[in-house]
Amino acid sequence: MKREQSTTDTSSAKPTDEQLAVEKERIIRQISEELSIPLTKVKSAVSLLDEGNTIPFIARYRKEMTGELDENQLRDIEERLQYRRNLEDRKREVIRLIDEQGKLTDQLQQSIIAAGKLQEVEDLYRPYRQKRKTRASVAKERGLEPLANWIWAQPKQGDPLVEAARYINSEKGVASAEEALQGAMDILAENIADDAATRAWVRKFTQDQGLLRTEAKDAKAETVYEMYYAYQEPVRKLPPHRVLAINRGEREEVLRVTLDVPSERVHEWMGRNIVRKFTAAPIQAVLVSVIEDAYKRLIAPSIEREVRNEMTEKAEEHAISIFSVNLRNLLLSPPVRGQVVLGVDPAYRTGCKLAAVDDIGKLLEVAVSYPTPPNNKVADAERIVNGLIDRYGVNLIVIGNGTASRETEQFIADLIGKRRAAGAAGAAELKYMIVNEAGASVYSASKLAAEEFPALDVSERSAVSIARRLQDPLAELVKIEPKAIGVGQYQHDVGQKRLEESLGGVVESAVNHVGVDVNTASPSLLSYVAGINATIARNIVKHREENGKFKERRELQKVPRLGAKSYEQCVGFLRLPEGANPLDRTPIHPESYAVVDKLFRALGLKLADVGTEQVRTKLSEADIVQLAGELGVGIPTLRDIVESLQRPGRDPREELPPPAFRTDVLQIEDLKPGMELAGTVRNVIDFGAFVDIGIKNDGLVHISRLSTKFVKHPTDVVSVGDTVTVWVLEADLKKGRVSLTMVKPD
């Protein structure tokens, strides 16, 4: 078990520039292979990232350099780049630590350098890691390592007990040959358990052949984990949501979880690779015993932890991915513009908080009414709500879906009906809808909400948030911690730091995709613009308040802390709808204004005509490829410029269908199998989608009922915010559950 000592200088010193360059090239090549993205594109993306450019900026304004990589590809590259660089740092550290022990060989160093995963590096380092006191370390202290080496050499003749008798030493605590032999076996067992190749094979075998079993600690207890009270499934087939559910059940001490592996096949493989055919029979017997002990006591428990940790990591990544998709779709829900809205935060004892906001979200008035139990002051509540509707011309009432929402909905529906019967002004246009209020209470209790509405109490702020999140979901939801918005699955069971990083990227992507009006945006919204942090966002708002609205984009350069790099990154995503320069209203970056000037001169157009039919017609007829060559600009950039000039004020969210509004209440008792309904998708998870059809609880469309075709994942068919047609399959009145289908029943 001895290793040849290295005669070369090691990498314990700081790497040279030349070594770092070689390392960078290796990392770029590895990322290219992992992600199946051409090497040149990865190289350009890495260079741009290293220069401090943000992903939204690179994706939008550096398309020629990256070959039009999208944001998802760029984020994948950034993530793998960070992993690979951390891996290289760890390799250097491990090489240094082994070298300090005087045990580094050329072969070991090359194996560490060639390792493609962190787990491989840790496996190689395992034999040299400083361990706490073990049976093997005690045996080494007693001088039994030479005996272990003799057994490992596997002589063709010899008796282990006879050889072990030579190591009896009362001063060192070795009282008998049996104790000496056991100590040597402990050393061998630890050496086998620390062998990188053995661990890699056992890990792969466990992943391929392992069976996860769960059982109840108390089979009589009624819990949400009952399906796992006597459950088993191969490790390789366990879907992510089931992994997280089992983990939670185990963490709550409801379930007992074990990982079963056919150990005899492991013993057989290890025996073939360790025990030689012509070794003396007594030594073979000892080695077989050592193998069984090494696997049962040392390898199996740690590999089980590693495999389950890897299962959990993959499940968490999947859950975060689904949450991210749902969050993006929710953030990009179409805004409901031009409506005076009454937001309602429902409650029982403390009453329903009301907030009327105008068509741009400015707070008009707050009030409280008590139409729900135990107060039941319906007539008084009608007077208050009717007063707000009449005073401000309310077109739309938005109700949060929290406690007492359905009783409040019934009250509002009845009120709308009475107004229509009485022929009240605007009654025909008055509608209501229920919105997911997840996170409203988090926002209303935040420092941000207190600064925005210092005179309101927490529940009144919540009513304002509920009203505004319909008018402009993106602008309002960015004020809330993304994980509190509640459109994921098992979001509380995943790594919170990783979740926050991923969701932060989603919000950043959505905000920059839509663009931000720099003269009306809140600091919360501005802080998600590429290149702008919270401090710069506050400085922009402060500058706006002290100096009036920005008239041109270049005025942003006067904002404190907004340096040249930040300006370059953010300016294209900041809009001035009423700006003096028509290009400041578009996503066109100021670095391309000269290109627009050349383009307009080439086409005989004037800048003042941006947005007119004449400009749209001429641009639609233009030959982009030919013009790009003449203007000396890349085709992707010119294509984006032309599109922006054709629709200068376009909001990409407005192309999506609006939400479904209601005027009457539907009860679960009203549902009959086969009934056709319109609904709004509230959440998409691994096994289906939850759809709001206007009753207390959302109905579930199981993945098997989303389409007549095979559906790999529900997100391939539906998205949060979609308006869909569904049919009732079953309504369970006792449990309050509704099963729906998007496949029209025959």
Side-chain angles (χ1 to χ4, degrees):
M1 308 202 68
K2 294 180 180 177
R3 291 175 170 81
E4 177 192 356
Q5 181 65 35
S6 173
T7 56
T8 60
D9 187 22
T10 69
S11 300
S12 57
K14 186 178 179 181
T16 64
D17 290 343
E18 186 179 348
Q19 288 173 325
L20 288 173
V22 171
E23 179 184 293
K24 184 175 181 179
E25 288 297 322
R26 182 171 67 247
I27 288 173
I28 289 171
R29 189 168 58 254
Q30 289 168 334
I31 293 173
S32 173
E33 292 170 359
E34 282 179 44
L35 301 178
S36 299
I37 297 175
L39 192 66
T40 53
K41 293 186 179 184
V42 175
K43 192 169 186 177
S44 295
V46 169
S47 295
L48 287 165
L49 289 167
D50 285 346
E51 290 167 7
N53 295 292
T54 62
I55 285 176
F57 175 81
I58 297 171
R60 173 76 193 188
Y61 299 113
R62 293 295 179 263
K63 291 182 176 180
E64 284 84 7
M65 294 181 69
T66 67
E68 298 191 80
L69 292 177
D70 62 32
E71 281 194 39
N72 291 331
Q73 291 172 307
L74 289 167
R75 289 190 193 281
D76 287 342
I77 290 172
E78 183 183 48
E79 187 176 304
R80 297 312 300 165
L81 181 64
Q82 186 63 50
Y83 175 84
R84 287 285 171 188
R85 284 178 171 169
N86 289 341
L87 179 61
E88 294 299 326
D89 289 342
R90 181 57 178 162
K91 288 178 182 179
R92 279 192 286 272
E93 178 70 3
V94 164
I95 289 170
R96 180 185 67 79
L97 291 168
I98 298 175
D99 184 45
E100 287 176 354
Q101 298 176 32
K103 298 178 180 178
L104 185 68
T105 66
D106 292 338
Q107 182 180 357
L108 177 58
Q109 182 171 348
Q110 289 307 312
S111 295
I112 294 170
I113 291 172
K117 295 181 179 179
L118 182 59
Q119 185 66 66
E120 294 173 24
V121 176
E122 297 304 333
D123 281 351
L124 290 165
Y125 177 50
R126 190 181 180 91
Y128 310 96
R129 183 184 285 115
Q130 297 300 312
K131 298 182 177 71
R132 57 181 175 77
K133 198 170 188 178
T134 65
R135 282 162 51 171
S137 66
V138 171
K140 288 177 182 178
E141 290 171 3
R142 291 175 175 171
L144 299 174
E145 194 164 16
L147 176 58
N149 290 337
W150 180 82
I151 296 170
W152 189 253
Q154 302 188 48
K156 296 179 181 179
Q157 294 180 341
D159 186 325
L161 273 175
V162 173
E163 184 70 18
R166 297 171 50 201
Y167 293 86
I168 297 173
N169 187 330
S170 58
E171 291 181 4
K172 292 187 175 182
V174 184
S176 66
E178 287 79 8
E179 284 188 19
L181 181 59
Q182 183 58 56
M185 291 170 70
D186 290 339
I187 294 171
L188 291 173
E190 186 172 281
N191 289 344
I192 291 171
D194 284 348
D195 181 68
T198 299
R199 294 185 68 81
W201 186 90
V202 175
R203 187 182 296 112
K204 179 71 165 56
F205 183 80
T206 302
Q207 291 166 335
D208 292 343
Q209 303 298 325
L211 192 67
L212 195 79
R213 297 184 191 273
T214 62
E215 60 180 20
K217 289 190 173 182
D218 179 4
K220 296 179 181 178
E222 291 186 8
T223 72
V224 295
Y225 304 106
E226 289 176 22
M227 73 168 284
Y228 299 113
Y229 278 10
Y231 185 83
Q232 65 179 41
E233 189 167 0
V235 166
R236 68 180 184 277
K237 291 185 177 180
L238 264 170
H241 67 276
R242 212 166 284 158
V243 171
L244 296 176
I246 289 170
N247 286 355
R248 184 192 289 179
E250 183 181 35
R251 194 165 55 249
E252 294 177 3
E253 299 188 349
V254 176
L255 302 177
R256 186 178 292 107
V257 184
T258 55
L259 186 56
D260 289 350
V261 180
S263 57
E264 66 283 351
R265 290 176 60 186
V266 178
H267 297 158
E268 181 185 339
W269 181 88
M270 292 172 69
R272 284 201 310 270
N273 286 272
I274 292 173
V275 182
R276 296 177 194 152
K277 192 172 183 181
F278 300 107
T279 300
I283 297 175
Q284 285 189 358
V286 167
L287 287 172
V288 168
S289 180
V290 166
I291 287 168
E292 292 176 357
D293 176 55
Y295 177 69
K296 182 179 180 180
R297 181 169 59 88
L298 300 173
I299 299 177
S302 63
I303 291 295
E304 178 177 339
R305 284 193 299 272
E306 290 174 11
V307 169
R308 288 201 59 194
N309 284 341
E310 186 173 337
M311 291 168 64
T312 299
E313 286 174 11
K314 288 182 178 178
E316 288 185 357
E317 281 300 310
H318 177 77
I320 290 171
S321 173
I322 298 303
F323 197 154
S324 299
V325 170
N326 288 342
L327 177 62
R328 180 178 174 83
N329 289 326
L330 180 63
L331 292 173
L332 295 179
S333 298
V336 177
R337 303 193 189 281
Q339 304 282 327
V340 179
V341 177
L342 178 64
V344 184
D345 184 11
Y348 287 119
R349 182 182 55 81
T350 56
C352 298
K353 306 306 186 294
L354 311 169
V357 300
D358 68 12
D359 57 352
I360 60 170
K362 181 182 177 182
L363 178 62
L364 301 170
E365 185 178 341
V366 293
V368 61
S369 64
Y370 300 87
T372 57
N375 300 291
N376 295 315
K377 297 180 180 179
V378 176
D380 187 55
E382 287 180 351
R383 178 184 59 77
I384 294 169
V385 174
N386 278 324
L388 290 168
I389 293 172
D390 292 334
R391 254 193 314 280
Y392 301 111
V394 171
N395 313 107
L396 187 59
I397 301 174
V398 183
I399 307 165
N401 67 342
T403 304
S405 66
R406 294 307 168 180
E407 292 85 349
T408 304
E409 180 191 11
Q410 185 67 63
F411 163 73
I412 294 296
D414 291 344
L415 181 141
I416 291 174
K418 289 177 182 178
R419 288 183 66 87
R420 289 188 172 182
E429 292 76 36
L430 184 61
K431 297 180 177 64
Y432 77 86
M433 75 172 295
I434 293 178
V435 297
N436 185 346
E437 66 175 42
S441 59
V442 175
Y443 158 74
S444 59
S446 68
K447 181 182 177 183
L448 175 64
E451 291 173 353
E452 194 172 3
F453 300 110
L456 303 187
D457 68 23
V458 171
S459 53
E460 289 171 335
R461 295 172 193 156
S462 184
V464 178
S465 178
I466 288 169
R468 285 177 166 180
R469 65 174 54 190
L470 187 74
Q471 290 182 317
D472 192 339
L474 181 60
E476 195 61 27
L477 291 174
V478 294
K479 300 175 184 177
I480 300 166
E481 192 177 16
K483 66 182 181 181
I485 294 175
V487 286
Q489 59 179 5
Y490 300 103
Q491 59 259 39
H492 302 296
D493 298 311
V494 304
Q496 295 303 295
K497 185 174 184 294
R498 176 76 183 96
L499 177 65
E500 288 170 11
E501 289 173 355
S502 180
L503 299 186
V506 171
V507 179
E508 178 190 51
S509 173
V511 168
N512 290 285
H513 175 67
V514 172
V516 170
D517 182 343
V518 71
N519 281 324
T520 61
S522 67
S524 303
L525 190 58
L526 286 167
S527 67
Y528 281 106
V529 174
I532 296 179
N533 58 28
T535 300
I536 296 174
R538 287 193 295 270
N539 289 347
I540 289 173
V541 173
K542 185 179 179 182
H543 186 280
R544 192 173 72 200
E545 291 170 347
E546 293 176 351
N547 301 282
K549 291 183 175 181
F550 292 95
K551 297 180 179 63
E552 294 183 282
R553 276 174 167 167
R554 59 187 176 185
E555 291 177 11
L556 286 160
Q557 294 171 316
K558 299 176 183 178
V559 174
R561 306 288 294 274
L562 203 161
K565 191 66 177 180
S566 293
Y567 178 79
E568 177 194 50
Q569 300 297 303
C570 75
V571 68
F573 303 107
L574 297 174
R575 311 277 195 272
L576 292 170
E578 300 170 3
N581 185 339
L583 299 184
D584 287 352
R585 307 168 198 170
T586 73
I588 299 171
H589 198 283
E591 67 186 11
S592 295
Y593 283 7
V595 175
V596 177
D597 184 52
K598 292 179 184 177
L599 173 66
F600 272 37
R601 279 192 275 115
L603 297 177
L605 297 170
K606 295 179 181 178
L607 194 60
D609 295 331
V610 169
T612 64
E613 191 60 39
Q614 178 194 11
V615 170
R616 282 193 287 271
T617 301
K618 281 231 175 185
L619 289 174
S620 64
E621 294 171 350
D623 186 330
I624 301 295
V625 176
Q626 181 181 334
L627 277 172
E630 293 173 1
L631 301 175
V633 66
I635 294 172
T637 294
L638 185 58
R639 189 169 58 235
D640 286 346
I641 288 172
V642 168
E643 184 180 330
S644 299
L645 291 169
Q646 287 177 313
R647 296 187 288 177
R650 182 180 77 96
D651 185 333
R653 297 173 295 172
E654 293 175 348
E655 298 175 0
L656 300 169
F661 301 119
R662 306 186 186 283
T663 58
D664 203 359
V665 179
L666 185 67
Q667 308 283 359
I668 190 171
E669 291 81 4
D670 301 330
L671 301 181
K672 302 288 184 256
M675 182 182 287
E676 181 179 331
L677 300 163
T680 302
V681 177
R682 293 295 182 205
N683 200 4
V684 183
I685 52 178
D686 284 344
F687 51 84
F690 286 101
V691 178
D692 177 8
I693 54 172
I695 63 170
K696 185 172 184 180
N697 297 326
D698 294 338
L700 174 66
V701 181
H702 190 267
I703 186 171
S704 61
R705 301 283 184 174
L706 287 170
S707 172
T708 54
K709 299 177 182 178
F710 171 74
V711 178
K712 186 175 182 181
H713 194 275
T715 52
D716 297 335
V717 179
V718 290
S719 302
V720 168
D722 283 356
T723 299
V724 294
T725 300
V726 294
W727 290 266
V728 177
L729 285 176
E730 182 185 8
D732 187 330
L733 301 182
K734 184 178 178 182
K735 294 183 178 179
R737 294 176 181 172
V738 178
S739 296
L740 305 170
T741 177
M742 284 173 54
V743 178
K744 186 174 182 179
D746 274 342

